[in-house]
Protein backbone atom coordinates (compact mmCIF):
# COMPACT_ATOMS: atom_id res chain seq x y z
CA UNK A 1 0.00 0.00 0.00
CA UNK A 2 1.11 3.55 -0.71
CA UNK A 3 0.17 6.50 1.49
CA UNK A 4 0.86 9.68 -0.43
CA UNK A 5 4.32 8.91 -1.81
CA UNK A 6 5.32 6.64 1.07
CA UNK A 7 5.36 2.90 0.42
CA UNK A 8 4.17 0.77 3.36
CA UNK A 9 5.73 -2.68 3.64
CA UNK A 10 2.78 -4.62 5.05
CA UNK A 11 -0.86 -4.27 5.91
CA UNK A 12 -0.91 -4.51 9.70
CA UNK A 13 -1.20 -1.21 11.46
CA UNK A 14 -0.71 -0.55 15.14
CA UNK A 15 -3.63 1.56 16.35
CA UNK A 16 -3.31 4.71 18.39
CA UNK A 17 -4.35 4.08 22.00
CA UNK A 18 -4.23 6.89 24.54
CA UNK A 19 -2.34 5.84 27.65
CA UNK A 20 -0.77 2.83 25.91
CA UNK A 21 0.91 3.41 22.56
CA UNK A 22 3.86 5.43 23.80
CA UNK A 23 7.21 5.12 22.07
CA UNK A 24 8.29 2.17 24.25
CA UNK A 25 5.17 0.23 23.32
CA UNK A 26 5.62 1.01 19.65
CA UNK A 27 9.30 0.02 19.66
CA UNK A 28 8.29 -3.24 21.31
CA UNK A 29 5.51 -3.93 18.80
CA UNK A 30 7.24 -2.82 15.62
CA UNK A 31 9.39 -5.97 15.09
CA UNK A 32 6.30 -8.17 15.11
CA UNK A 33 5.43 -6.61 11.76
CA UNK A 34 3.60 -3.34 12.38
CA UNK A 35 3.85 -1.64 8.98
CA UNK A 36 2.69 1.71 10.34
CA UNK A 37 2.50 3.03 13.89
CA UNK A 38 0.65 5.94 15.50
CA UNK A 39 1.38 8.05 18.52
CA UNK A 40 -1.27 8.35 21.19
CA UNK A 41 -3.67 11.17 20.36
CA UNK A 42 -2.05 14.53 21.05
CA UNK A 43 -4.11 17.54 22.14
CA UNK A 44 -3.69 20.58 19.89
CA UNK A 45 -4.33 22.89 22.86
CA UNK A 46 -1.80 20.94 24.93
CA UNK A 47 0.80 21.87 22.33
CA UNK A 48 -0.37 25.47 22.03
CA UNK A 49 -0.37 26.00 25.82
CA UNK A 50 2.99 24.24 26.12
CA UNK A 51 1.84 21.42 28.37
CA UNK A 52 4.98 19.40 29.12
CA UNK A 53 3.19 16.04 29.21
CA UNK A 54 1.64 16.67 25.80
CA UNK A 55 5.05 17.24 24.24
CA UNK A 56 6.22 13.84 25.49
CA UNK A 57 3.63 12.18 23.24
CA UNK A 58 5.43 13.52 20.19
CA UNK A 59 8.51 11.36 20.70
CA UNK A 60 9.16 8.92 17.86
CA UNK A 61 11.78 6.23 17.40
CA UNK A 62 14.19 5.86 14.44
CA UNK A 63 13.21 2.19 14.17
CA UNK A 64 9.46 2.70 13.77
CA UNK A 65 9.12 4.54 10.47
CA UNK A 66 6.69 5.17 8.96
CA UNK A 67 4.97 6.72 11.97
CA UNK A 68 1.94 9.00 12.20
CA UNK A 69 1.44 11.67 14.82
CA UNK A 70 -2.24 11.77 15.70
CA UNK A 71 -3.72 15.05 16.87
CA UNK A 72 -7.14 16.03 18.11
CA UNK A 73 -8.89 19.34 18.53
CA UNK A 74 -12.22 21.04 17.97
CA UNK A 75 -11.23 24.03 15.83
CA UNK A 76 -9.45 24.32 12.52
CA UNK A 77 -7.26 27.20 13.72
CA UNK A 78 -5.90 25.29 16.72
CA UNK A 79 -5.30 22.13 14.67
CA UNK A 80 -3.44 24.26 12.12
CA UNK A 81 -1.34 25.79 14.90
CA UNK A 82 -0.60 22.34 16.33
CA UNK A 83 0.73 21.14 12.98
CA UNK A 84 2.98 24.18 12.71
CA UNK A 85 4.27 23.56 16.25
CA UNK A 86 4.99 19.92 15.40
CA UNK A 87 6.84 21.03 12.27
CA UNK A 88 8.97 23.39 14.35
CA UNK A 89 10.00 20.68 16.81
CA UNK A 90 12.59 18.72 14.87
CA UNK A 91 10.62 15.49 15.17
CA UNK A 92 11.09 12.68 12.68
CA UNK A 93 7.59 11.61 11.59
CA UNK A 94 5.89 10.65 8.34
CA UNK A 95 2.19 11.51 8.61
CA UNK A 96 -0.28 13.62 10.53
CA UNK A 97 -3.49 11.83 11.47
CA UNK A 98 -6.59 13.72 12.57
CA UNK A 99 -8.71 12.03 15.20
CA UNK A 100 -12.35 12.22 14.07
CA UNK A 101 -13.55 9.22 16.03
CA UNK A 102 -12.84 9.64 19.73
CA UNK A 103 -16.18 9.15 21.54
CA UNK A 104 -15.14 10.33 25.02
CA UNK A 105 -17.38 13.21 26.28
CA UNK A 106 -14.39 15.19 27.57
CA UNK A 107 -13.14 15.28 23.97
CA UNK A 108 -16.41 15.57 22.01
CA UNK A 109 -17.79 18.41 24.13
CA UNK A 110 -14.94 20.58 22.84
CA UNK A 111 -15.97 19.76 19.28
CA UNK A 112 -13.07 17.32 18.81
CA UNK A 113 -12.97 13.62 17.90
CA UNK A 114 -16.28 12.15 16.70
CA UNK A 115 -18.03 15.53 17.19
CA UNK A 116 -16.61 16.54 13.79
CA UNK A 117 -18.84 13.92 12.12
CA UNK A 118 -21.85 16.15 12.85
CA UNK A 119 -20.34 19.30 11.26
CA UNK A 120 -19.77 18.40 7.64
CA UNK A 121 -19.16 21.89 6.21
CA UNK A 122 -16.77 22.82 8.98
CA UNK A 123 -15.06 19.45 8.67
CA UNK A 124 -14.53 19.99 4.97
CA UNK A 125 -13.04 23.45 5.55
CA UNK A 126 -10.81 22.19 8.35
CA UNK A 127 -9.48 19.24 6.38
CA UNK A 128 -8.85 21.30 3.26
CA UNK A 129 -6.83 23.73 5.35
CA UNK A 130 -4.78 21.03 7.06
CA UNK A 131 -3.95 19.10 3.91
CA UNK A 132 -2.84 22.36 2.30
CA UNK A 133 -0.59 23.57 5.10
CA UNK A 134 0.89 20.31 6.41
CA UNK A 135 4.33 19.39 5.10
CA UNK A 136 3.45 15.72 5.61
CA UNK A 137 0.48 13.80 4.20
CA UNK A 138 -2.64 14.09 6.35
CA UNK A 139 -4.76 11.04 7.21
CA UNK A 140 -7.97 10.70 9.21
CA UNK A 141 -9.54 8.17 11.56
CA UNK A 142 -13.33 8.09 11.81
CA UNK A 143 -16.35 6.23 13.11
CA UNK A 144 -19.38 5.60 10.87
CA UNK A 145 -21.48 8.38 12.40
CA UNK A 146 -22.63 9.96 15.63
CA UNK A 147 -25.54 7.63 16.38
CA UNK A 148 -27.79 5.10 14.66
CA UNK A 149 -29.96 7.88 13.24
CA UNK A 150 -27.09 9.82 11.73
CA UNK A 151 -24.79 7.29 10.11
CA UNK A 152 -23.04 9.29 7.39
CA UNK A 153 -19.86 7.40 6.66
CA UNK A 154 -20.15 7.70 2.86
CA UNK A 155 -20.55 11.48 3.07
CA UNK A 156 -17.68 11.82 5.49
CA UNK A 157 -15.38 9.67 3.35
CA UNK A 158 -16.26 11.79 0.31
CA UNK A 159 -15.56 15.01 2.19
CA UNK A 160 -12.22 13.75 3.46
CA UNK A 161 -11.16 12.44 0.10
CA UNK A 162 -12.07 15.68 -1.66
CA UNK A 163 -10.11 17.57 0.97
CA UNK A 164 -6.96 15.67 -0.02
CA UNK A 165 -6.63 13.17 2.80
CA UNK A 166 -4.08 10.39 2.03
CA UNK A 167 -5.70 7.50 3.95
CA UNK A 168 -8.85 6.89 5.96
CA UNK A 169 -9.22 4.51 8.88
CA UNK A 170 -12.77 3.49 9.72
CA UNK A 171 -13.86 2.02 13.02
CA UNK A 172 -17.36 0.88 12.03
CA UNK A 173 -19.20 1.76 15.19
CA UNK A 174 -21.13 4.94 15.91
CA UNK A 175 -19.94 7.41 18.51
CA UNK A 176 -22.90 6.55 20.76
CA UNK A 177 -22.02 2.87 20.64
CA UNK A 178 -18.68 3.57 22.31
CA UNK A 179 -17.34 -0.02 22.37
CA UNK A 180 -20.68 -1.83 22.70
CA UNK A 181 -21.94 -4.34 20.16
CA UNK A 182 -19.75 -5.48 17.31
CA UNK A 183 -17.75 -3.56 14.75
CA UNK A 184 -20.09 -3.50 11.73
CA UNK A 185 -17.86 -4.42 8.77
CA UNK A 186 -20.95 -5.11 6.64
CA UNK A 187 -22.03 -1.48 6.92
CA UNK A 188 -18.95 -0.42 4.98
CA UNK A 189 -18.64 -3.39 2.63
CA UNK A 190 -19.09 -1.15 -0.44
CA UNK A 191 -17.13 1.86 0.78
CA UNK A 192 -14.08 1.02 -1.34
CA UNK A 193 -16.19 1.69 -4.42
CA UNK A 194 -16.13 5.42 -3.64
CA UNK A 195 -12.50 5.54 -2.45
CA UNK A 196 -9.41 6.43 -4.45
CA UNK A 197 -7.18 6.29 -1.37
CA UNK A 198 -6.28 3.40 0.96
CA UNK A 199 -8.79 2.21 3.54
CA UNK A 200 -7.76 0.86 6.92
CA UNK A 201 -10.29 -1.16 8.89
CA UNK A 202 -10.27 -0.96 12.70
CA UNK A 203 -12.39 -2.73 15.29
CA UNK A 204 -12.62 -6.09 17.02
CA UNK A 205 -9.54 -7.68 15.45
CA UNK A 206 -8.69 -10.14 18.21
CA UNK A 207 -7.56 -13.12 16.10
CA UNK A 208 -6.15 -13.81 12.66
CA UNK A 209 -9.58 -15.02 11.58
CA UNK A 210 -11.09 -11.69 12.64
CA UNK A 211 -8.53 -9.94 10.44
CA UNK A 212 -9.29 -12.17 7.46
CA UNK A 213 -13.02 -11.59 7.92
CA UNK A 214 -12.71 -7.79 8.23
CA UNK A 215 -10.44 -7.60 5.19
CA UNK A 216 -12.62 -9.90 3.07
CA UNK A 217 -15.81 -7.98 3.78
CA UNK A 218 -14.43 -4.46 3.40
CA UNK A 219 -11.57 -4.93 0.92
CA UNK A 220 -9.42 -2.72 3.17
CA UNK A 221 -5.75 -2.32 2.29
CA UNK A 222 -4.79 -2.08 5.95
CA UNK A 223 -5.87 -3.86 9.13
CA UNK A 224 -5.55 -1.91 12.34
CA UNK A 225 -5.00 -3.77 15.58
CA UNK A 226 -5.67 -2.11 18.95
CA UNK A 227 -6.96 -4.05 21.98
CA UNK A 228 -6.34 -7.42 20.35
CA UNK A 229 -2.58 -6.98 20.37
CA UNK A 230 -2.43 -5.66 23.93
CA UNK A 231 -0.67 -8.54 25.68
CA UNK A 232 -0.71 -10.51 22.42
CA UNK A 233 1.91 -8.87 20.19
CA UNK A 234 2.29 -12.06 18.18
CA UNK A 235 -1.15 -11.42 16.69
CA UNK A 236 0.50 -8.78 14.51
CA UNK A 237 3.03 -11.33 13.27
CA UNK A 238 0.28 -13.87 12.57
CA UNK A 239 -1.72 -11.38 10.50
CA UNK A 240 1.31 -9.99 8.68
CA UNK A 241 2.65 -13.47 7.89
CA UNK A 242 -0.71 -14.71 6.66
CA UNK A 243 -1.26 -11.83 4.28
CA UNK A 244 2.29 -12.18 2.93
CA UNK A 245 2.42 -15.97 2.60
CA UNK A 246 -1.10 -17.38 2.94
CA UNK A 247 0.12 -19.49 5.88
CA UNK A 248 -1.11 -19.51 9.46
CA UNK A 249 1.32 -19.48 12.39
CA UNK A 250 0.65 -21.25 15.70
CA UNK A 251 -0.14 -19.22 18.79
CA UNK A 252 2.77 -18.25 21.06
CA UNK A 253 3.60 -20.38 24.11
CA UNK A 254 3.31 -19.23 27.72
CA UNK A 255 7.12 -18.99 27.78
CA UNK A 256 6.96 -16.67 24.76
CA UNK A 257 4.43 -14.50 26.58
CA UNK A 258 6.71 -14.26 29.61
CA UNK A 259 9.61 -13.23 27.37
CA UNK A 260 7.51 -10.63 25.56
CA UNK A 261 6.30 -9.07 28.79
CA UNK A 262 9.83 -8.91 30.18
CA UNK A 263 11.08 -7.21 27.02
CA UNK A 264 8.25 -4.68 27.05
CA UNK A 265 8.76 -3.98 30.77
CA UNK A 266 12.44 -3.20 30.12
CA UNK A 267 11.52 -0.73 27.40
CA UNK A 268 8.83 0.95 29.50
CA UNK A 269 11.16 1.28 32.49
CA UNK A 270 13.79 2.87 30.25
CA UNK A 271 11.24 5.39 28.94
CA UNK A 272 9.37 6.27 32.14
CA UNK A 273 11.53 5.19 35.06
CA UNK A 274 10.81 2.21 37.28
CA UNK A 275 8.05 3.63 39.48
CA UNK A 276 5.78 4.96 36.73
CA UNK A 277 6.49 2.08 34.35
CA UNK A 278 5.75 -0.66 36.86
CA UNK A 279 2.55 1.04 38.01
CA UNK A 280 1.41 1.38 34.37
CA UNK A 281 2.28 -2.29 33.85
CA UNK A 282 -0.26 -3.24 36.52
CA UNK A 283 -2.91 -2.43 33.92
CA UNK A 284 -1.13 -4.07 31.00
CA UNK A 285 0.83 -7.09 32.29
CA UNK A 286 -2.21 -9.28 33.07
CA UNK A 287 -3.24 -9.09 29.41
CA UNK A 288 -0.18 -11.19 28.52
CA UNK A 289 -1.75 -14.13 30.35
CA UNK A 290 -5.31 -13.86 29.03
CA UNK A 291 -6.78 -17.28 28.47
CA UNK A 292 -4.33 -19.09 30.77
CA UNK A 293 -6.62 -20.33 33.54
CA UNK A 294 -3.88 -21.43 35.95
CA UNK A 295 -2.47 -17.87 36.10
CA UNK A 296 -5.54 -16.27 37.70
CA UNK A 297 -3.93 -15.59 41.09
CA UNK A 298 -0.74 -14.29 39.53
CA UNK A 299 -2.70 -11.98 37.22
CA UNK A 300 -4.37 -10.50 40.28
CA UNK A 301 -0.98 -9.96 41.90
CA UNK A 302 0.35 -8.39 38.70
CA UNK A 303 -2.53 -5.95 38.63
CA UNK A 304 -2.39 -4.94 42.28
CA UNK A 305 0.96 -5.69 43.92
CA UNK A 306 3.95 -4.98 41.69
CA UNK A 307 6.02 -2.00 42.81
CA UNK A 308 9.41 -2.73 41.29
CA UNK A 309 10.92 -4.54 38.33
CA UNK A 310 12.07 -7.16 40.78
CA UNK A 311 8.48 -7.79 41.92
CA UNK A 312 7.56 -8.37 38.29
CA UNK A 313 10.48 -10.77 37.82
CA UNK A 314 9.45 -12.76 40.90
CA UNK A 315 5.92 -13.19 39.55
CA UNK A 316 7.23 -14.17 36.12
CA UNK A 317 9.38 -16.82 37.83
CA UNK A 318 6.28 -18.08 39.64
CA UNK A 319 4.49 -18.42 36.30
CA UNK A 320 7.52 -20.17 34.85
CA UNK A 321 7.67 -22.67 37.68
CA UNK A 322 3.93 -23.33 37.36
CA UNK A 323 4.69 -24.49 33.81
CA UNK A 324 7.06 -27.27 34.98
C1 LIG B 1 -7.60 2.43 25.67
C2 LIG B 1 -7.89 2.91 24.27
C3 LIG B 1 -7.37 4.11 23.84
C4 LIG B 1 -7.64 4.56 22.55
N1 LIG B 1 -7.07 5.73 22.12
C5 LIG B 1 -7.26 6.14 20.84
C6 LIG B 1 -6.59 7.29 20.35
O1 LIG B 1 -5.82 7.95 21.04
N2 LIG B 1 -6.84 7.65 19.07
C7 LIG B 1 -7.69 6.95 18.25
O2 LIG B 1 -7.88 7.32 17.09
N3 LIG B 1 -8.30 5.83 18.69
C8 LIG B 1 -8.09 5.41 19.94
N4 LIG B 1 -8.67 4.26 20.37
C9 LIG B 1 -9.47 3.46 19.41
C10 LIG B 1 -8.61 2.38 18.75
O3 LIG B 1 -7.57 2.94 17.99
C11 LIG B 1 -9.45 1.44 17.88
O4 LIG B 1 -9.96 2.14 16.78
C12 LIG B 1 -10.59 0.80 18.67
O5 LIG B 1 -10.14 0.35 19.93
C13 LIG B 1 -11.21 -0.38 17.92
O6 LIG B 1 -10.25 -1.36 17.68
P1 LIG B 1 -10.08 -2.70 18.57
O7 LIG B 1 -11.43 -3.35 18.67
O8 LIG B 1 -9.06 -3.50 17.78
O9 LIG B 1 -9.60 -2.29 19.91
C14 LIG B 1 -8.44 3.81 21.66
C15 LIG B 1 -8.97 2.59 22.12
C16 LIG B 1 -8.70 2.13 23.39
C17 LIG B 1 -9.28 0.81 23.83
Amino acid sequence: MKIGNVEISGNVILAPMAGITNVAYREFMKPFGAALTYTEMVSDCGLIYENKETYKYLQTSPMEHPVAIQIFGGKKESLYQAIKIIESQNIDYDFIDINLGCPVPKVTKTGAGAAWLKRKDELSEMMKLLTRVSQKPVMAKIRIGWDDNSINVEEIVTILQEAGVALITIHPRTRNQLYAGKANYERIKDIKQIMRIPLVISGDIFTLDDAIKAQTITGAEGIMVARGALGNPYLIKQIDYYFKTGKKLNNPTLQDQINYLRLFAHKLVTLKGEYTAIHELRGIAPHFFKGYSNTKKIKLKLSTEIETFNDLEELLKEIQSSML
Side-chain angles (χ1 to χ4, degrees):
M1 149 177 43
K2 230 176 166 189
I3 310 175
N5 289 324
V6 184
E7 188 63 45
I8 307 291
S9 65
N11 68 346
V12 191
I13 294 168
L14 186 64
M17 280 193 287
I20 293 169
T21 57
N22 53 55
V23 70
Y25 187 79
R26 302 194 312 267
E27 278 193 351
F28 165 64
M29 298 298 274
K30 180 77 189 177
F32 290 95
L36 167 66
T37 52
Y38 286 65
T39 64
E40 305 171 59
M41 62 182 197
V42 178
S43 155
D44 59 355
C45 290
L47 294 176
I48 293 164
Y49 297 119
E50 299 185 359
N51 180 306
K52 262 198 195 153
E53 286 304 307
T54 304
Y55 277 73
K56 287 187 189 163
Y57 299 145
L58 296 176
Q59 190 183 344
T60 63
S61 161
M63 55 90 81
E64 71 173 321
H65 291 288
V67 54
I69 293 181
Q70 190 190 62
I71 57 175
F72 72 99
K75 294 198 181 80
K76 69 172 190 288
E77 294 81 9
S78 52
L79 286 163
Y80 164 83
Q81 261 181 288
I83 291 179
K84 290 299 138 189
I85 292 170
I86 291 166
E87 288 175 356
S88 72
Q89 292 291 308
N90 201 19
I91 304 161
D92 202 3
Y93 70 103
D94 304 278
F95 307 108
I96 287 286
D97 187 85
I98 310 299
N99 182 321
L100 305 174
C102 183
V104 178
K106 204 173 110 187
V107 170
T108 56
K109 73 170 191 245
T110 68
W116 281 105
L117 304 176
K118 296 191 287 189
R119 298 165 9 242
K120 287 177 287 182
D121 293 344
E122 226 187 297
L123 172 67
S124 168
E125 249 182 68
M126 180 272 279
M127 274 302 186
K128 281 181 184 157
L129 171 69
L130 301 190
T131 57
R132 194 175 76 238
V133 298
S134 171
Q135 289 170 9
K136 303 283 184 181
V138 177
M139 323 190 295
K141 185 162 176 285
I142 66 175
R143 287 185 175 231
I144 54 174
W146 182 259
D147 60 21
D148 280 349
N149 298 321
S150 60
I151 292 178
N152 57 357
V153 58
E154 287 82 8
E155 274 176 287
I156 298 291
V157 162
T158 305
I159 287 169
L160 296 176
Q161 196 163 246
E162 278 172 8
V165 161
L167 173 146
I168 300 172
T169 301
I170 306 180
H171 175 194
R173 283 188 169 92
T174 62
R175 180 270 162 190
N176 275 6
Q177 254 184 297
L178 302 173
Y179 287 88
K182 289 249 162 233
N184 189 351
Y185 311 130
E186 290 289 341
R187 182 61 187 76
I188 54 164
K189 68 180 170 36
D190 298 323
I191 201 85
K192 275 302 299 171
Q193 288 174 18
I194 59 164
M195 291 181 73
R196 306 180 298 268
I197 53 174
L199 165 69
V200 172
I201 179 73
S202 169
D204 295 351
I205 311 285
F206 294 103
T207 64
L208 170 60
D209 287 341
D210 293 337
I212 296 170
K213 180 177 162 196
Q215 200 284 328
T216 307
I217 295 173
T218 62
E221 284 85 353
I223 296 156
M224 182 174 271
V225 183
R227 292 170 298 174
L230 187 62
N232 186 14
Y234 200 70
L235 174 62
I236 289 187
K237 173 98 183 165
Q238 289 173 312
I239 300 172
D240 183 51
Y241 191 77
Y242 177 81
F243 280 97
K244 285 178 177 160
T245 66
K247 293 185 188 135
K248 293 188 176 183
L249 295 169
N250 289 334
N251 288 331
T253 63
L254 184 56
Q255 183 61 56
D256 292 331
Q257 291 296 95
I258 292 170
N259 296 344
Y260 298 152
L261 174 54
R262 189 177 280 128
L263 179 62
F264 173 51
H266 271 295
K267 285 191 179 291
L268 199 61
V269 168
T270 307
L271 179 70
K272 300 206 166 187
E274 187 174 22
Y275 182 86
T276 307
I278 296 297
H279 282 80
E280 279 186 15
L281 276 169
R282 287 181 175 197
I284 299 172
H287 289 282
F288 282 77
F289 306 108
K290 260 184 304 213
Y292 290 98
S293 51
N294 54 346
T295 57
K296 206 169 165 192
K297 264 195 203 148
I298 292 176
K299 276 189 282 198
L300 185 65
K301 284 188 190 171
L302 281 170
S303 64
T304 54
E305 289 180 12
I306 50 173
E307 297 279 351
T308 63
F309 195 87
N310 204 37
D311 294 343
L312 173 66
E313 271 301 338
E314 288 303 316
L315 288 178
L316 293 182
K317 277 186 205 143
E318 252 186 72
I319 298 177
Q320 237 153 359
S321 58
S322 75
M323 290 162 56
L324 296 175

